[in-house]
Amino acid sequence: MLHNDISNKQAPILAFNVDNLLIKEEQEESSIINRVKSLIQSDRKKYINRDIDMTFVNKINNIWMKHPYSIYLITFYPYKDDLFNILDKNLVNYTSLVELFEWDEIRHRCGLQFTYYFDNDEELLSYVSMKNALHIRELPLIIK
């Protein structure tokens, strides 16, 4: 019951690709030790150990507290349980965590389910090519 709305109508859905937005971009590390370490670590371990972008976390939590939207977090990695733990540890508020496997699923959901989809992957956004699939920098234009 957000903002005293007791109807059973679902709030508009804002979807975010957490693989690209929640995790800080990796910096290229040139030391030999870091290169060897990178080769030895599993993909799961690399995914878990990446740094969290707290600016994005604050944006999501601000939307959650001040606006009547459902927040869906999208991941393409098969580490959903680990991602639940990361989100919980960083106190991220969201409605649903959705694991997808193909870019076509984003296109399909943008047409039927998502009010807006936000990402910073220009190639993915170009592939989806829907009016409601937007770059994350356009979020302030939508959320006022």
Side-chain angles (χ1 to χ4, degrees), residues 14-24 51-64 71-74 83 87 90-94 118-120 135-137 139:
L14 300 181
F16 299 88
N17 184 340
V18 290
D19 298 331
N20 296 336
L21 300 172
L22 179 67
I23 310 298
K24 287 184 180 177
D51 293 330
I52 302 300
D53 183 356
M54 290 309 292
T55 303
F56 177 72
V57 171
N58 292 335
K59 285 180 188 177
I60 293 296
N61 288 339
N62 186 32
I63 293 169
W64 180 266
I71 298 174
Y72 281 35
L73 304 178
I74 310 299
L83 189 53
L87 293 167
N90 289 285
L91 303 174
V92 180
N93 294 303
Y94 61 96
F118 295 97
D119 205 329
N120 65 357
H135 195 281
I136 190 66
R137 68 178 164 255
L139 179 62

Short mmCIF file of all heavy atoms in Angstrom, two decimals, residues 14-24 51-64 71-74 83 87 90-94 118-120 135-137 139:
data_model
loop_
_atom_site.label_atom_id
_atom_site.label_comp_id
_atom_site.label_asym_id
_atom_site.label_seq_id
_atom_site.Cartn_x
_atom_site.Cartn_y
_atom_site.Cartn_z
N LEU A 14 10.07 -0.11 -13.55
CA LEU A 14 11.37 0.37 -14.01
C LEU A 14 12.33 -0.80 -13.87
O LEU A 14 12.47 -1.36 -12.79
CB LEU A 14 11.87 1.54 -13.16
CG LEU A 14 11.01 2.79 -13.10
CD1 LEU A 14 11.69 3.84 -12.24
CD2 LEU A 14 10.76 3.34 -14.49
N ALA A 15 12.98 -1.17 -14.97
CA ALA A 15 13.92 -2.29 -14.95
C ALA A 15 15.34 -1.77 -15.16
O ALA A 15 15.55 -0.85 -15.97
CB ALA A 15 13.56 -3.30 -16.03
N PHE A 16 16.29 -2.36 -14.46
CA PHE A 16 17.69 -1.94 -14.52
C PHE A 16 18.57 -3.16 -14.70
O PHE A 16 18.37 -4.17 -14.01
CB PHE A 16 18.10 -1.23 -13.23
CG PHE A 16 17.32 0.01 -12.93
CD1 PHE A 16 16.14 -0.05 -12.21
CD2 PHE A 16 17.77 1.25 -13.38
CE1 PHE A 16 15.42 1.10 -11.93
CE2 PHE A 16 17.06 2.40 -13.11
CZ PHE A 16 15.88 2.33 -12.38
N ASN A 17 19.54 -3.07 -15.57
CA ASN A 17 20.51 -4.15 -15.76
C ASN A 17 21.58 -4.02 -14.67
O ASN A 17 22.48 -3.21 -14.79
CB ASN A 17 21.14 -4.07 -17.15
CG ASN A 17 22.07 -5.22 -17.43
OD1 ASN A 17 22.56 -5.90 -16.53
ND2 ASN A 17 22.33 -5.45 -18.70
N VAL A 18 21.47 -4.83 -13.63
CA VAL A 18 22.40 -4.69 -12.50
C VAL A 18 23.80 -5.18 -12.84
O VAL A 18 24.76 -4.78 -12.19
CB VAL A 18 21.90 -5.39 -11.22
CG1 VAL A 18 20.71 -4.66 -10.66
CG2 VAL A 18 21.61 -6.84 -11.44
N ASP A 19 23.93 -6.03 -13.84
CA ASP A 19 25.27 -6.50 -14.23
C ASP A 19 26.13 -5.33 -14.70
O ASP A 19 27.34 -5.31 -14.47
CB ASP A 19 25.18 -7.55 -15.34
CG ASP A 19 24.42 -8.78 -14.90
OD1 ASP A 19 24.43 -9.10 -13.70
OD2 ASP A 19 23.80 -9.43 -15.76
N ASN A 20 25.51 -4.37 -15.34
CA ASN A 20 26.25 -3.22 -15.85
C ASN A 20 26.19 -2.00 -14.94
O ASN A 20 27.11 -1.20 -14.93
CB ASN A 20 25.69 -2.80 -17.22
CG ASN A 20 25.89 -3.86 -18.26
OD1 ASN A 20 26.77 -4.70 -18.16
ND2 ASN A 20 25.04 -3.86 -19.27
N LEU A 21 25.12 -1.86 -14.18
CA LEU A 21 24.91 -0.63 -13.42
C LEU A 21 25.29 -0.73 -11.94
O LEU A 21 25.79 0.22 -11.38
CB LEU A 21 23.44 -0.20 -13.53
CG LEU A 21 22.96 0.09 -14.95
CD1 LEU A 21 21.46 0.31 -14.97
CD2 LEU A 21 23.69 1.28 -15.53
N LEU A 22 25.05 -1.87 -11.33
CA LEU A 22 25.34 -2.02 -9.91
C LEU A 22 26.83 -2.19 -9.64
O LEU A 22 27.34 -1.75 -8.63
CB LEU A 22 24.59 -3.24 -9.35
CG LEU A 22 24.81 -3.57 -7.88
CD1 LEU A 22 24.23 -2.48 -6.99
CD2 LEU A 22 24.21 -4.91 -7.53
N ILE A 23 27.51 -2.78 -10.57
CA ILE A 23 28.92 -3.09 -10.41
C ILE A 23 29.75 -1.99 -11.07
O ILE A 23 29.49 -1.61 -12.21
CB ILE A 23 29.26 -4.45 -11.04
CG1 ILE A 23 28.30 -5.54 -10.57
CG2 ILE A 23 30.70 -4.82 -10.79
CD1 ILE A 23 28.31 -5.83 -9.11
N LYS A 24 30.75 -1.50 -10.35
CA LYS A 24 31.65 -0.50 -10.94
C LYS A 24 32.42 -1.12 -12.10
O LYS A 24 32.74 -2.30 -12.07
CB LYS A 24 32.65 0.01 -9.90
CG LYS A 24 32.07 0.92 -8.87
CD LYS A 24 33.15 1.43 -7.95
CE LYS A 24 32.57 2.35 -6.91
NZ LYS A 24 33.59 2.81 -5.96
N ASP A 51 33.52 -4.40 -7.22
CA ASP A 51 33.10 -3.30 -6.35
C ASP A 51 31.70 -2.82 -6.73
O ASP A 51 31.35 -2.75 -7.91
CB ASP A 51 34.08 -2.13 -6.46
CG ASP A 51 35.44 -2.46 -5.88
OD1 ASP A 51 35.49 -3.28 -4.94
OD2 ASP A 51 36.43 -1.91 -6.38
N ILE A 52 30.93 -2.44 -5.72
CA ILE A 52 29.56 -1.96 -5.90
C ILE A 52 29.57 -0.45 -6.10
O ILE A 52 30.28 0.28 -5.42
CB ILE A 52 28.71 -2.31 -4.66
CG1 ILE A 52 28.71 -3.82 -4.41
CG2 ILE A 52 27.29 -1.78 -4.78
CD1 ILE A 52 28.17 -4.64 -5.53
N ASP A 53 28.75 0.02 -7.05
CA ASP A 53 28.60 1.45 -7.29
C ASP A 53 27.50 1.98 -6.37
O ASP A 53 26.31 1.83 -6.64
CB ASP A 53 28.24 1.67 -8.76
CG ASP A 53 28.14 3.14 -9.13
OD1 ASP A 53 28.28 4.00 -8.24
OD2 ASP A 53 27.91 3.42 -10.32
N MET A 54 27.92 2.60 -5.28
CA MET A 54 26.96 3.09 -4.29
C MET A 54 26.11 4.25 -4.81
O MET A 54 25.01 4.47 -4.31
CB MET A 54 27.69 3.47 -3.00
CG MET A 54 28.25 2.27 -2.25
SD MET A 54 27.06 0.93 -1.96
CE MET A 54 25.95 1.69 -0.80
N THR A 55 26.57 4.95 -5.81
CA THR A 55 25.76 6.00 -6.43
C THR A 55 24.51 5.40 -7.05
O THR A 55 23.40 5.93 -6.90
CB THR A 55 26.57 6.76 -7.50
OG1 THR A 55 27.76 7.28 -6.90
CG2 THR A 55 25.77 7.89 -8.10
N PHE A 56 24.68 4.27 -7.73
CA PHE A 56 23.53 3.58 -8.32
C PHE A 56 22.60 3.06 -7.23
O PHE A 56 21.37 3.17 -7.34
CB PHE A 56 24.00 2.44 -9.23
CG PHE A 56 22.87 1.65 -9.80
CD1 PHE A 56 22.06 2.18 -10.78
CD2 PHE A 56 22.58 0.38 -9.33
CE1 PHE A 56 20.98 1.46 -11.30
CE2 PHE A 56 21.53 -0.35 -9.84
CZ PHE A 56 20.72 0.19 -10.82
N VAL A 57 23.16 2.48 -6.19
CA VAL A 57 22.35 1.99 -5.07
C VAL A 57 21.51 3.12 -4.49
O VAL A 57 20.32 2.96 -4.23
CB VAL A 57 23.25 1.35 -3.97
CG1 VAL A 57 22.44 1.04 -2.72
CG2 VAL A 57 23.92 0.10 -4.50
N ASN A 58 22.10 4.28 -4.31
CA ASN A 58 21.37 5.44 -3.78
C ASN A 58 20.26 5.89 -4.72
O ASN A 58 19.18 6.28 -4.26
CB ASN A 58 22.33 6.58 -3.47
CG ASN A 58 23.26 6.26 -2.32
OD1 ASN A 58 22.95 5.44 -1.46
ND2 ASN A 58 24.41 6.89 -2.31
N LYS A 59 20.50 5.83 -6.03
CA LYS A 59 19.45 6.19 -7.00
C LYS A 59 18.27 5.25 -6.88
O LYS A 59 17.11 5.69 -6.86
CB LYS A 59 20.00 6.13 -8.43
CG LYS A 59 20.88 7.26 -8.82
CD LYS A 59 21.36 7.07 -10.25
CE LYS A 59 22.41 8.10 -10.62
NZ LYS A 59 22.93 7.89 -11.98
N ILE A 60 18.55 3.96 -6.81
CA ILE A 60 17.49 2.95 -6.71
C ILE A 60 16.70 3.16 -5.41
O ILE A 60 15.46 3.14 -5.41
CB ILE A 60 18.08 1.53 -6.76
CG1 ILE A 60 18.67 1.24 -8.14
CG2 ILE A 60 17.04 0.48 -6.39
CD1 ILE A 60 17.67 1.24 -9.25
N ASN A 61 17.39 3.32 -4.32
CA ASN A 61 16.72 3.50 -3.03
C ASN A 61 15.90 4.79 -2.99
O ASN A 61 14.83 4.83 -2.39
CB ASN A 61 17.73 3.45 -1.88
CG ASN A 61 18.26 2.05 -1.67
OD1 ASN A 61 17.65 1.07 -2.07
ND2 ASN A 61 19.41 1.96 -1.04
N ASN A 62 16.38 5.83 -3.66
CA ASN A 62 15.64 7.09 -3.74
C ASN A 62 14.34 6.90 -4.52
O ASN A 62 13.28 7.38 -4.11
CB ASN A 62 16.52 8.17 -4.38
CG ASN A 62 15.85 9.52 -4.36
OD1 ASN A 62 15.10 9.84 -3.47
ND2 ASN A 62 16.13 10.32 -5.37
N ILE A 63 14.43 6.20 -5.63
CA ILE A 63 13.21 5.91 -6.42
C ILE A 63 12.24 5.10 -5.57
O ILE A 63 11.03 5.36 -5.55
CB ILE A 63 13.57 5.17 -7.72
CG1 ILE A 63 14.35 6.08 -8.66
CG2 ILE A 63 12.31 4.66 -8.41
CD1 ILE A 63 14.97 5.37 -9.84
N TRP A 64 12.74 4.10 -4.88
CA TRP A 64 11.91 3.22 -4.05
C TRP A 64 11.15 4.02 -2.99
O TRP A 64 9.96 3.77 -2.76
CB TRP A 64 12.80 2.17 -3.39
CG TRP A 64 12.06 1.22 -2.52
CD1 TRP A 64 11.88 1.31 -1.17
CD2 TRP A 64 11.40 0.03 -2.93
NE1 TRP A 64 11.16 0.24 -0.72
CE2 TRP A 64 10.84 -0.57 -1.78
CE3 TRP A 64 11.24 -0.60 -4.16
CZ2 TRP A 64 10.14 -1.75 -1.82
CZ3 TRP A 64 10.53 -1.79 -4.20
CH2 TRP A 64 9.98 -2.35 -3.05
N ILE A 71 10.47 -1.82 -9.00
CA ILE A 71 11.84 -1.84 -9.50
C ILE A 71 12.26 -3.28 -9.74
O ILE A 71 12.29 -4.09 -8.81
CB ILE A 71 12.80 -1.17 -8.48
CG1 ILE A 71 12.41 0.30 -8.31
CG2 ILE A 71 14.24 -1.32 -8.93
CD1 ILE A 71 13.17 1.03 -7.23
N TYR A 72 12.53 -3.58 -11.00
CA TYR A 72 13.00 -4.91 -11.38
C TYR A 72 14.49 -4.80 -11.70
O TYR A 72 14.90 -3.90 -12.44
CB TYR A 72 12.27 -5.42 -12.61
CG TYR A 72 10.89 -5.96 -12.35
CD1 TYR A 72 10.05 -5.42 -11.37
CD2 TYR A 72 10.40 -7.03 -13.08
CE1 TYR A 72 8.79 -5.92 -11.14
CE2 TYR A 72 9.13 -7.54 -12.85
CZ TYR A 72 8.33 -6.98 -11.88
OH TYR A 72 7.08 -7.48 -11.65
N LEU A 73 15.26 -5.70 -11.14
CA LEU A 73 16.69 -5.77 -11.41
C LEU A 73 16.94 -6.97 -12.30
O LEU A 73 16.53 -8.08 -11.98
CB LEU A 73 17.47 -5.86 -10.10
CG LEU A 73 17.21 -4.73 -9.10
CD1 LEU A 73 18.00 -4.96 -7.82
CD2 LEU A 73 17.53 -3.38 -9.70
N ILE A 74 17.60 -6.72 -13.43
CA ILE A 74 17.84 -7.75 -14.44
C ILE A 74 19.29 -8.20 -14.39
O ILE A 74 20.19 -7.38 -14.32
CB ILE A 74 17.54 -7.19 -15.85
CG1 ILE A 74 16.17 -6.50 -15.90
CG2 ILE A 74 17.68 -8.26 -16.90
CD1 ILE A 74 15.01 -7.38 -15.58
N LEU A 83 23.93 -12.82 -6.08
CA LEU A 83 23.46 -11.45 -6.29
C LEU A 83 22.45 -11.05 -5.21
O LEU A 83 22.47 -9.92 -4.73
CB LEU A 83 22.86 -11.30 -7.69
CG LEU A 83 22.52 -9.90 -8.14
CD1 LEU A 83 23.70 -8.94 -8.00
CD2 LEU A 83 22.05 -9.92 -9.59
N LEU A 87 22.96 -7.74 -2.94
CA LEU A 87 21.91 -6.72 -2.82
C LEU A 87 21.49 -6.54 -1.36
O LEU A 87 21.30 -5.41 -0.90
CB LEU A 87 20.71 -7.09 -3.69
CG LEU A 87 20.94 -7.07 -5.19
CD1 LEU A 87 19.80 -7.74 -5.92
CD2 LEU A 87 21.16 -5.66 -5.69
N ASN A 90 24.15 -4.69 0.69
CA ASN A 90 24.24 -3.26 0.37
C ASN A 90 22.91 -2.52 0.53
O ASN A 90 22.79 -1.38 0.11
CB ASN A 90 24.78 -3.09 -1.06
CG ASN A 90 26.23 -3.46 -1.14
OD1 ASN A 90 27.08 -2.71 -0.69
ND2 ASN A 90 26.53 -4.64 -1.66
N LEU A 91 21.92 -3.21 1.11
CA LEU A 91 20.61 -2.60 1.42
C LEU A 91 19.93 -1.98 0.21
O LEU A 91 19.45 -0.85 0.25
CB LEU A 91 20.76 -1.57 2.54
CG LEU A 91 21.37 -2.08 3.84
CD1 LEU A 91 21.60 -0.94 4.81
CD2 LEU A 91 20.52 -3.17 4.46
N VAL A 92 19.89 -2.72 -0.88
CA VAL A 92 19.24 -2.26 -2.11
C VAL A 92 17.77 -2.65 -2.05
O VAL A 92 17.44 -3.81 -1.83
CB VAL A 92 19.90 -2.88 -3.36
CG1 VAL A 92 19.22 -2.39 -4.62
CG2 VAL A 92 21.38 -2.57 -3.39
N ASN A 93 16.89 -1.67 -2.25
CA ASN A 93 15.45 -1.92 -2.28
C ASN A 93 15.00 -2.20 -3.70
O ASN A 93 15.33 -1.44 -4.61
CB ASN A 93 14.70 -0.70 -1.75
CG ASN A 93 14.97 -0.45 -0.29
OD1 ASN A 93 14.75 -1.31 0.54
ND2 ASN A 93 15.48 0.73 0.02
N TYR A 94 14.24 -3.26 -3.89
CA TYR A 94 13.75 -3.62 -5.22
C TYR A 94 12.54 -4.52 -5.09
O TYR A 94 12.28 -5.10 -4.03
CB TYR A 94 14.85 -4.29 -6.04
CG TYR A 94 15.36 -5.58 -5.44
CD1 TYR A 94 14.86 -6.81 -5.86
CD2 TYR A 94 16.34 -5.57 -4.46
CE1 TYR A 94 15.33 -7.98 -5.29
CE2 TYR A 94 16.81 -6.74 -3.90
CZ TYR A 94 16.30 -7.95 -4.32
OH TYR A 94 16.75 -9.11 -3.76
N PHE A 118 16.47 0.52 -18.18
CA PHE A 118 17.67 1.35 -18.16
C PHE A 118 18.93 0.49 -18.16
O PHE A 118 19.00 -0.53 -17.48
CB PHE A 118 17.68 2.25 -16.92
CG PHE A 118 16.59 3.26 -16.92
CD1 PHE A 118 15.41 3.03 -16.23
CD2 PHE A 118 16.73 4.44 -17.63
CE1 PHE A 118 14.39 3.96 -16.23
CE2 PHE A 118 15.71 5.38 -17.64
CZ PHE A 118 14.54 5.14 -16.94
N ASP A 119 19.90 0.94 -18.93
CA ASP A 119 21.18 0.23 -19.06
C ASP A 119 22.23 1.24 -19.48
O ASP A 119 21.89 2.36 -19.87
CB ASP A 119 21.04 -0.88 -20.11
CG ASP A 119 22.03 -2.01 -19.91
OD1 ASP A 119 23.14 -1.75 -19.41
OD2 ASP A 119 21.69 -3.15 -20.28
N ASN A 120 23.49 0.85 -19.42
CA ASN A 120 24.55 1.71 -19.96
C ASN A 120 25.28 1.02 -21.10
O ASN A 120 26.27 1.53 -21.60
CB ASN A 120 25.52 2.15 -18.87
CG ASN A 120 26.30 1.01 -18.26
OD1 ASN A 120 26.10 -0.15 -18.60
ND2 ASN A 120 27.19 1.32 -17.34
N HIS A 135 19.20 4.83 -21.97
CA HIS A 135 20.49 4.87 -21.28
C HIS A 135 20.25 5.39 -19.86
O HIS A 135 19.37 6.22 -19.64
CB HIS A 135 21.47 5.78 -22.03
CG HIS A 135 22.89 5.59 -21.61
ND1 HIS A 135 23.39 6.15 -20.46
CD2 HIS A 135 23.90 4.89 -22.17
CE1 HIS A 135 24.65 5.81 -20.33
NE2 HIS A 135 24.99 5.04 -21.36
N ILE A 136 21.04 4.93 -18.92
CA ILE A 136 20.87 5.31 -17.51
C ILE A 136 20.98 6.82 -17.31
O ILE A 136 20.36 7.37 -16.40
CB ILE A 136 21.86 4.54 -16.60
CG1 ILE A 136 21.52 4.75 -15.12
CG2 ILE A 136 23.29 4.94 -16.90
CD1 ILE A 136 20.22 4.18 -14.68
N ARG A 137 21.70 7.51 -18.15
CA ARG A 137 21.83 8.96 -17.98
C ARG A 137 20.50 9.68 -18.22
O ARG A 137 20.35 10.85 -17.87
CB ARG A 137 22.93 9.52 -18.88
CG ARG A 137 22.64 9.46 -20.35
CD ARG A 137 23.75 10.07 -21.20
NE ARG A 137 23.60 9.66 -22.58
CZ ARG A 137 24.35 8.76 -23.19
NH1 ARG A 137 25.36 8.20 -22.56
NH2 ARG A 137 24.13 8.42 -24.44
N LEU A 139 17.67 8.67 -16.88
CA LEU A 139 16.81 8.42 -15.71
C LEU A 139 16.30 9.70 -15.08
O LEU A 139 15.10 9.80 -14.78
CB LEU A 139 17.56 7.56 -14.69
CG LEU A 139 16.82 7.22 -13.40
CD1 LEU A 139 15.58 6.40 -13.69
CD2 LEU A 139 17.73 6.50 -12.44
#
